[in-house]
Amino acid sequence: MQIVVRLDVVLAQRKMRSRELAERVGITEQNISLLKSGKVKGIRFETLAKICEVLECQPGDLLEAAPED
Amino acid sequence: MPSLPLVQKLSGWLYHATTLVLAVLPIAVLFALYGAANRSVDWTGLYTGATVIGARGVPTLILATLVAAVPLLPLLWVLLQMRGLFGNYRRGEVLTPESALCIRRIGLGLVVLPLVQLVSSTLRILVLTWDNPKGMRELSISLSDDFIGLVLVGGLMFVIGLAMHQAAVLAEENRGFV
């Protein structure tokens, strides 16, 4: 099982750019890009909570457990 | 890391200081050792206790100088590792495996240095007194509190280097989190 990040989908739905999200969450745009591509080891609860607050969504909207390819 | 700017600033100064010492030390030490062997300039008092009977030729003086200079090698290696560590720190690369390796190597060097000094000192006196009349050659082995101190400090640095490696691994893991 792997965790798939759907941040790009939610950003598109909210019509928000990565740069704006990064500024409002307080992390770098590079980290947002890494998160979108799933190339991170994990996400802190604090960061996840801020992203959900900014995007007005739930963690389940951003993260999905899917079988490994 | 709140104190990182201070670490970087101090490391910058220490990096340049270490570079200067690396450039000057070998020449200064060789000059002082040759002068001490020749007894024309005994700045270091390195040969206190060695009874040299008769003049020594230049080859003997050169050999004694080279033997006395052997501890310079581990010392220079330690200084190189320190320069490498300060270089990493001034770039902000504090908790990294490379910096931890530098610390371990400094510790190893500080353990080896007094052992090499011990052997070098013994051989140096033997070389200088080899041409003494039979029965008056000297073999001297001396241990000092500096010896014990350096070995302990070296051991401490080595263990700290091991611990810093663990810290570096954890820091690397932490960097993977957003």
Side-chain angles (χ1 to χ4, degrees):
Chain A
M1 204 56 113
Q2 61 178 346
I3 300 296
V4 179
V5 180
R6 302 288 185 205
L7 179 59
D8 51 345
V9 173
V10 180
L11 275 171
Q13 288 171 348
R14 302 291 187 269
K15 295 185 175 56
M16 186 181 292
R17 289 185 181 276
S18 298
R19 178 180 291 185
E20 184 187 346
L21 179 65
E23 283 171 5
R24 292 175 67 177
V25 169
I27 63 176
T28 63
E29 193 177 347
Q30 185 189 18
N31 278 344
I32 292 289
S33 294
L34 288 171
L35 184 57
K36 280 195 319 187
S37 59
K39 291 177 183 172
V40 295
K41 285 184 180 160
I43 181 170
R44 295 185 178 89
F45 284 150
E46 184 186 353
T47 306
L48 182 59
K50 282 182 185 170
I51 292 174
C52 288
E53 183 184 358
V54 170
L55 295 178
E56 296 177 355
C57 65
Q58 290 293 313
D61 299 325
L62 298 169
L63 305 171
E64 178 186 335
E68 298 240 18
D69 294 331
Chain B
M1 193 173 168
S3 57
L4 186 60
L6 180 61
V7 169
Q8 288 179 283
K9 189 177 178 183
L10 289 173
S11 297
W13 293 343
L14 289 167
Y15 175 84
H16 293 303
T18 313
T19 304
L20 183 64
V21 169
L22 273 167
V24 170
L25 186 67
I27 301 164
V29 167
L30 284 171
F31 182 75
L33 288 174
Y34 186 81
N38 197 20
R39 299 226 169 165
S40 60
V41 181
D42 188 9
W43 294 338
T44 63
L46 289 171
Y47 299 106
T48 302
T51 308
V52 180
I53 298 172
R56 292 291 173 266
V58 170
T60 302
L61 294 177
I62 290 174
L63 180 61
T65 302
L66 289 174
V67 169
V70 168
L72 194 56
L73 296 174
L75 177 60
L76 287 174
W77 190 70
V78 168
L79 286 169
L80 266 173
Q81 299 307 314
M82 287 172 66
R83 184 175 178 266
L85 182 65
F86 293 139
N88 289 347
Y89 282 0
R90 73 174 184 162
R91 286 190 297 272
E93 296 165 17
V94 177
L95 286 176
T96 64
E98 292 76 21
S99 295
L101 181 62
C102 284
I103 296 173
R104 286 206 303 281
R105 284 178 172 173
I106 290 168
L108 192 61
L110 289 177
V111 168
V112 166
L113 178 61
L115 297 172
V116 172
Q117 281 176 331
L118 180 70
V119 173
S120 163
S121 173
T122 302
L123 288 177
R124 185 177 66 231
I125 290 174
L126 189 62
V127 164
L128 282 173
T129 61
W130 189 258
D131 289 333
N132 281 1
K134 280 189 182 175
M136 298 193 77
R137 291 173 188 154
E138 293 182 9
L139 184 66
S140 167
I141 299 174
S142 64
L143 285 174
S144 68
D145 49 356
D146 289 346
F147 176 92
I148 297 166
L150 267 179
V151 169
L152 282 176
V153 168
L156 174 66
M157 292 292 291
F158 188 80
V159 169
I160 288 175
L162 288 175
M164 289 296 283
H165 178 77
Q166 292 302 310
V169 168
L170 286 172
E172 187 65 33
E173 181 81 16
N174 199 37
R175 276 190 282 270
F177 280 71
V178 296

